[in-house]
Amino acid sequence: MLTLPILNFAIRCRDVCRSYGKLKVLNNLNLAVPQGQIYGLLGPSGCGKTTLLKCIVGTLKISRGHITVLGKPPAFPGHDIPGKKVGYMPQELALYNEFTISDTLTFFGRIHGLTSKETQARMNFLIDFLDLPQKTSLVRNLSGGQRRRVSLGAALLQNPELLILDEPTVGVDPVLRSKYHTCTVPILSVLQTLEHAFLQLCETSDQVGSKRDSSSPDGTLDKSQSFENGKDESQPILGVGSPPAEESLKLDWKVRARHVLPKWRNIAALMIKTLVRMKRMPGSLCFQFLLPVIQVSLICLCVGGDPKGIQVAIVNNETSPSAFSQSFLSFLDNSSVQQVNLSHKEAFEGIYNGEYWSVIGFGKNFTSYLTKRMLQRQVSQEIIDGGSIHVWLDQTNRQIALMVQKKLHQAFQAFVDYKLGGMAYMVALPIKFEEPIYGSQNTDFTTFVTPGAVLRSTPYYTCVGVIVAQESFSEFIEFCLSVFLSGVSSLETMLAHLFSQLFVISVQIILLLLMMLLVFKNPNEGSLVLVIILIVLQGVTGISFGLVISSAIDDEQSANQAALGIFYPNLILSGIIWPVECIPYPLRYLSLVLPQTYASEALRCIMYRGWGLSRMMVWRGFAVTLGWNTFFLILATVILKLRT
């Protein structure tokens, strides 16, 4: 840790304790780091070094005790700890491979509130001082040592009063180490050289490593490795020095409000960061833009329409061209049903072998018997059977079987109208279907499925896009730690990611609506504004749920598996591909609390019934969606805060 000579003590810890459940990591730690000095924090793995650093910079709360950093407790409103006063260089590289050196330093400049001119001036100095390549170089193309220097530059960018370096010389060549001396000696004027200090720390670290066998079994340090004057370092390493006078800690309500409320400067910086990453990842961007459109297009093309080219066997025992059977068959829709004339034996062999979906049979006296059925008031059972069209169906595919029945009914109605004209009512069913209140007589299953498919595809692919956009979780955590030490809150991180993903959702919605309304001619009787708002809110559901998954699950593969595992049960239970009324209890109760169930119903009511927010079935869909969005965002924020 390097500090600037401003106060008497940069860091003071008094009786600091920190526990994880029953495990005590820091126990009554006392520590004092003077201003203007280099302080080496050494110890074996697991002794509490990282925990202490997190407590010092305010990203982790202590169980008890006191800590002051540059005169005030960490995370004190208006104190900029964490924030501009502290620079942090993590041991693991917290850099985005898609960024250039300029992108990286500009991002941290925005976070710290530097002007563009100030950022450029500091950037030019640091690139020269740290012997970095051109600022347009991508991080992915840099060597390991160059990446560490970029990380150091990000920590030095804002001229922090407190600089925390976690193993800064790993991967750094001796020439660069000498440059540390050039930079820090004029500032510190305490030690001989920074290189000498690092050398001493390395030698001491080797000595400590040789004594690890004498450390306590739980991994903490023994008394010979204490920080100050025989203090037992096996105790937790977190604490606060003597707190400032009570008067100095009083704050104006405006300062407290600024500390609590999200800072739009930080949100804007994070949004620009995300958009730059999107630009550098065109494959992921196309994935998010096009896949929802492709999915909905495939549903409109392939789901819900009438089957085509269904082969049915025709067993017609009438030979006369003027027979009623021939006339009837002429009204059968040949685009859906392909008629194959066969003998009785061949027809049934074919349907048993799966070659045909139906057998349609006519008796040899079908014409005369049907005439008698229509004209005589009383007929025998033989005439009834002989004047009937006999149909044998393969019911293994219900949709095809229903379609064949539908086409036969339509063909018979057309045949009767043709033969009887005004007297067709004599053989018609005494049921008349009037014009539908909503929809049309020709509404197909695709019309039912499409709204739910739009609401499901947008959140799912947005969720997957969020997961794909995240790097490995360990790198993400290190980056978040660097950002949080720059004064960015978990809420600001969530909001920035949410707002930047709205750009993706906007493009998705434009493409989806063009495809759905103009290409496939889906009806829309209601407000297009309400349709867009509901789809956007469902997209936000996908974003927020993606943030929950990417924050809670370590690797991308497991996160994608979790998203996929949740997607299919939700698709089945949400009434998207089949009505909720068909779901048995108690599964229906589960269905009704899912994010897409009421939303799908609301979208159908808007598009097909022309309803507005005054209807309960519409505003209920909006309310449930907003509730889930709020829950997911809060949960993602809490998980991210806990894990970082």
Side-chain angles (χ1 to χ4, degrees):
M1 286 180 286
L2 287 73
T3 60
L4 301 183
I6 299 177
L7 303 174
N8 292 331
F9 289 99
I11 302 171
R12 295 198 68 177
C13 302
R14 187 180 68 187
D15 300 328
V16 172
C17 296
R18 170 66 193 186
S19 301
Y20 294 99
K22 295 182 179 180
L23 176 63
K24 290 185 177 180
V25 180
L26 303 173
N27 187 14
N28 294 328
L29 174 76
N30 291 278
L31 175 68
V33 180
Q35 281 282 348
Q37 291 193 10
I38 301 174
Y39 192 92
L41 190 60
L42 303 178
S45 298
C47 71
K49 300 187 299 296
T50 301
T51 300
L52 174 60
L53 291 178
K54 289 183 178 181
C55 294
I56 288 174
V57 298
T59 60
L60 192 64
K61 290 184 178 180
I62 59 176
S63 303
R64 65 180 178 86
H66 300 282
I67 297 178
T68 56
V69 181
L70 300 177
K72 292 181 180 178
F76 190 75
H79 185 42
D80 286 337
I81 299 288
K84 190 175 181 179
K85 290 184 178 180
V86 60
Y88 174 72
M89 176 182 169
Q91 180 178 353
E92 299 294 332
L93 295 177
L95 302 172
Y96 283 118
N97 289 330
E98 299 82 12
F99 273 23
T100 63
I101 296 175
S102 175
D103 294 334
T104 302
L105 298 181
T106 300
F107 167 70
F108 282 99
R110 292 192 183 103
I111 291 293
H112 293 302
L114 302 182
T115 65
S116 178
K117 186 176 181 180
E118 291 171 337
T119 301
Q120 288 299 322
R122 288 291 295 169
M123 186 189 306
N124 293 334
F125 164 74
L126 290 170
I127 288 176
D128 179 65
F129 166 69
L130 297 174
D131 195 22
L132 292 172
Q134 293 182 349
K135 60 184 179 182
T136 56
S137 303
L138 288 172
V139 170
R140 69 160 61 97
N141 297 330
L142 302 180
S143 65
Q146 289 173 329
R147 294 185 185 188
R148 293 199 65 81
R149 282 178 263 167
V150 174
S151 183
L152 176 60
L156 291 170
L157 185 69
Q158 78 276 17
N159 264 329
E161 297 179 26
L162 175 64
L163 180 61
I164 299 177
L165 306 176
D166 193 350
E167 299 193 20
T169 57
V170 174
V172 175
D173 57 83
V175 176
L176 180 60
R177 293 184 185 183
S178 66
K179 286 201 172 187
Y180 288 149
H181 162 72
T182 305
C183 176
T184 55
V185 167
I187 300 176
L188 298 175
S189 67
V190 177
L191 297 160
Q192 297 175 0
T193 66
L194 188 58
E195 168 66 20
H196 180 64
F198 282 135
L199 180 60
Q200 287 183 332
L201 293 179
C202 292
E203 292 174 350
T204 307
S205 178
D206 292 338
Q207 295 173 6
V208 171
S210 66
K211 296 181 181 180
R212 284 186 180 177
D213 292 338
S214 62
S215 60
S216 58
D218 60 356
T220 55
L221 298 179
D222 60 21
K223 293 183 179 181
S224 65
Q225 300 162 341
S226 60
F227 278 117
E228 54 176 6
N229 299 329
K231 290 289 182 180
D232 187 359
E233 191 185 324
S234 64
Q235 309 305 325
I237 316 175
L238 279 176
V240 178
S242 301
E246 186 175 350
E247 293 76 16
S248 64
L249 297 181
K250 291 183 178 180
L251 288 174
D252 183 78
W253 68 270
K254 294 182 180 179
V255 177
R256 292 187 181 276
R258 285 195 298 268
H259 180 73
V260 174
L261 294 176
K263 299 179 181 64
W264 290 108
R265 178 193 73 199
N266 293 344
I267 294 175
L270 291 167
M271 286 177 60
I272 294 173
K273 179 265 296 182
T274 303
L275 293 176
V276 169
R277 291 197 73 215
M278 288 181 181
K279 179 182 176 182
R280 302 275 165 75
M281 300 171 67
S284 174
L285 204 58
C286 291
F287 173 87
Q288 295 183 69
F289 284 162
L290 297 180
L291 277 185
V293 179
I294 294 173
Q295 175 178 304
V296 173
S297 299
L298 290 176
I299 288 175
C300 291
L301 289 170
C302 305
V303 177
D306 286 337
K308 303 293 183 183
I310 301 302
Q311 289 193 328
V312 297
I314 305 296
V315 180
N316 191 353
N317 294 312
E318 290 192 310
T319 58
S320 173
S322 61
F324 281 3
S325 58
Q326 298 291 347
S327 178
F328 168 81
L329 291 174
S330 68
F331 289 100
L332 199 59
D333 183 5
N334 291 322
S335 65
S336 298
V337 177
Q338 292 183 357
Q339 304 174 33
V340 181
N341 291 296
L342 299 170
S343 66
H344 184 277
K345 180 181 178 180
E346 291 173 334
F348 279 90
E349 285 180 352
I351 194 171
Y352 278 118
N353 292 328
E355 299 174 14
Y356 309 108
W357 288 99
S358 172
V359 174
I360 301 174
F362 300 88
K364 61 181 179 180
N365 297 319
F366 174 74
T367 301
S368 61
Y369 284 167
L370 181 60
T371 303
K372 292 179 181 180
R373 285 188 60 177
M374 291 188 293
L375 298 180
Q376 296 180 9
R377 301 186 64 179
Q378 289 186 342
V379 293
S380 65
Q381 186 63 42
E382 179 185 359
I383 293 176
I384 294 174
D385 290 339
S388 298
I389 303 171
H390 296 270
V391 181
W392 293 267
L393 292 171
D394 181 350
Q395 288 277 13
T396 56
N397 190 316
R398 182 168 172 79
Q399 284 301 119
I400 292 179
L402 289 174
M403 184 275 296
V404 172
Q405 295 178 50
K406 175 184 174 182
K407 296 300 180 182
L408 287 173
H409 282 109
Q410 291 175 346
F412 184 76
Q413 187 62 49
F415 164 75
V416 168
D417 291 341
Y418 172 74
K419 288 295 183 180
L420 299 181
M423 299 182 65
Y425 69 90
M426 297 177 61
V427 293
L429 287 173
I431 300 174
K432 182 179 181 182
F433 290 96
E434 304 291 350
E435 282 297 315
I437 304 300
Y438 299 109
S440 66
Q441 294 279 13
N442 298 320
T443 299
D444 54 19
F445 188 67
T446 306
T447 307
F448 172 83
V449 173
T450 302
V454 170
L455 289 185
R456 187 67 206 127
S457 61
T458 303
Y460 174 69
Y461 287 114
T462 308
C463 169
V464 173
V466 171
I467 295 172
V468 171
Q470 297 289 15
E471 56 289 332
S472 69
F473 187 78
S474 59
E475 294 175 353
F476 177 58
I477 292 300
E478 289 293 340
F479 181 81
C480 285
L481 184 57
S482 299
V483 171
F484 293 157
L485 290 180
S486 302
V488 177
S489 67
S490 301
L491 178 59
E492 290 167 348
T493 304
M494 295 296 107
L495 291 177
H497 211 92
L498 174 64
F499 294 151
S500 58
Q501 285 292 328
L502 287 176
F503 162 71
V504 177
I505 295 177
S506 300
V507 177
Q508 288 178 341
I509 290 175
I510 292 173
L511 296 176
L512 282 172
L513 291 179
L514 289 174
M515 191 66 62
M516 186 171 62
L517 300 179
L518 299 183
V519 177
F520 294 105
K521 307 296 184 182
N522 275 76
N524 178 38
E525 306 295 334
S527 170
L528 189 60
V529 174
L530 288 180
V531 171
I532 293 173
I533 292 175
L534 186 55
I535 298 176
V536 168
L537 290 177
Q538 281 291 307
V540 173
T541 303
I543 296 172
S544 52
F545 183 63
L547 290 172
V548 171
I549 292 180
S550 60
S551 299
I553 300 179
D554 289 0
D555 62 283
E556 181 182 318
Q557 182 178 359
S558 298
N560 278 317
Q561 289 176 350
L564 194 62
I566 294 172
F567 167 74
Y568 281 107
N570 186 67
L571 179 67
I572 295 170
L573 292 172
S574 293
I576 293 174
I577 59 175
W578 207 250
V580 174
E581 290 75 11
C582 300
I583 301 175
Y585 292 101
L587 279 178
R588 192 182 300 185
Y589 295 121
L590 175 61
S591 171
L592 295 177
V593 299
L594 294 176
Q596 272 81 45
T597 303
Y598 284 131
S600 299
E601 182 182 56
L603 187 57
R604 291 190 189 104
C605 290
I606 295 170
M607 294 184 65
Y608 302 152
R609 293 176 174 170
W611 289 2
L613 287 174
S614 60
R615 303 278 190 156
M616 187 266 289
M617 294 177 70
V618 175
W619 65 254
R620 181 175 60 186
F622 283 83
V624 171
T625 303
L626 287 171
W628 276 106
N629 290 349
T630 304
F631 171 73
F632 283 145
L633 286 174
I634 293 175
L635 182 60
T637 303
V638 171
I639 293 174
L640 186 59
K641 189 173 183 63
L642 290 176
R643 299 203 69 180
T644 55

